[in-house]
């Protein structure tokens, strides 16, 4: 097979839950053995690219899905840090939707009112939104997060970090935030 060895393919479980990235070679083997099916081909630039393997011509895969469900072992929960939280919130202010570089972390229920530092009470916020909300409750400020903050799955955060600049991969990873 003459393909770029550094090409990566997103592997989904049978349930469409994202599992990990695999090499292109590994992906092709899974498809040829009929253990996985191609869900998405590579992006526009590569649209006409194909992979020749074992007398077969396959579309160039970008996302593949296992035919049979694989049960996953227990995985540790993800630590709450600025980096992981911004990844969960797609580097976007959860109040106004802006994606500026200097995002802050906002306690939805302010610390001064008993709010805790935990996944379900912190969202990414731009400076102006954070100042505007200040120590107010969401109802008082009339500012509500666009997405209810939740604890992300370990695999989602790790995979999102590896899927930047690839909208298709991000879509499959975000589609299943409660996975793992
Ligand atoms: Zn904002």
């Amino acid at each position: 097979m003459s393909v770029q060895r550094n090409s990566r393919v997103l592997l989904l479980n049978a349930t469409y839950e994202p599992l990990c990235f695999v090499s292109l070679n590994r992906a092709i083997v899974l498809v040829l053995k009929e253990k996985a099916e191609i869900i998405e081909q590579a992006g526009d630039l590569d649209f006409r690219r194909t992979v020749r393997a074992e007398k077969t011509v396959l579309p160039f895969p970008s996302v593949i899905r296992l035919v049979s469900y694989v049960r996953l072992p227990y995985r540790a929960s993800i630590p709450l840090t600025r980096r992981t939280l911004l990844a969960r919130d797609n580097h976007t202010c959860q109040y106004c939707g802006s994606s500026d570089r200097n995002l802050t972390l906002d306690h939805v229920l302010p610390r001064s009112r008993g709010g805790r530092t935990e996944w379900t009470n912190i969202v990414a916020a731009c400076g102006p939104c954070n100042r505007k909300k200040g120590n107010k409750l969401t109802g008082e400020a009339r500012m509500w997060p666009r997405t209810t903050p939740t604890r992300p799955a370990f695999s989602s955060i790790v995979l999102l970090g590896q899927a930047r600049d690839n909208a298709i991969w991000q879509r499959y990873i975000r589609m299943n935030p409660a996975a793992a």
Side-chain angles (χ1 to χ4, degrees):
M1 232 179 297
S2 60
V3 292
Q4 296 164 280
R5 289 187 174 274
N6 61 356
S7 299
R8 292 180 304 154
V9 177
L10 178 61
L11 174 65
L12 308 178
N13 211 335
T15 52
Y16 286 86
E17 170 191 346
L19 292 176
C20 59
F21 284 99
V22 294
S23 69
L24 181 60
N25 284 357
R26 174 84 183 128
I28 296 298
V29 168
L30 286 169
V31 171
L32 288 175
K33 287 188 171 171
E34 299 184 345
K35 295 202 160 152
E37 59 175 354
I38 296 174
I39 297 291
E40 297 277 351
Q41 300 178 28
D44 292 344
L45 283 175
D46 298 317
F47 191 70
R48 289 189 194 83
R49 283 170 72 182
T50 54
V51 180
R52 277 166 227 276
E54 295 182 14
K55 296 177 192 164
T56 312
V57 179
L58 292 170
F60 199 97
S62 170
V63 181
I64 61 172
R65 172 180 166 264
L66 290 174
V67 174
S68 308
Y69 180 72
V70 171
R71 193 172 293 279
L72 296 170
Y74 169 81
R75 287 191 238 184
S77 60
I78 187 88
L80 172 58
T81 65
R82 175 184 164 77
R83 202 170 132 256
T84 54
L85 192 122
L86 292 182
R88 182 199 68 182
D89 288 351
N90 199 18
H91 298 264
T92 304
C93 172
Q94 294 301 294
Y95 294 112
C96 72
S98 77
S99 49
D100 93 60
R101 283 168 186 273
N102 301 308
L103 287 172
T104 63
L105 305 187
D106 178 65
H107 284 73
V108 179
L109 175 63
R111 265 183 297 194
S112 61
R113 320 266 298 242
R116 291 189 180 184
T117 301
E118 57 194 17
W119 281 106
T120 52
N121 192 47
I122 298 188
V123 294
C126 68
C129 283
N130 200 332
R131 283 190 292 278
K132 191 174 157 202
K133 183 157 174 301
N135 287 324
K136 300 189 205 69
L137 303 178
T138 48
E140 293 168 354
R142 305 203 61 73
M143 293 166 73
W144 289 272
R146 303 181 151 209
T147 310
T148 304
T150 56
R151 173 187 294 275
F154 183 75
S155 61
S156 297
I157 287 288
V158 173
L159 293 175
L160 280 173
Q162 299 170 357
R164 297 195 79 170
D165 307 324
N166 186 315
I168 291 173
W169 286 346
Q170 290 190 13
R171 182 156 54 82
Y172 279 91
I173 295 165
R174 288 185 191 289
M175 242 168 32
N176 213 323

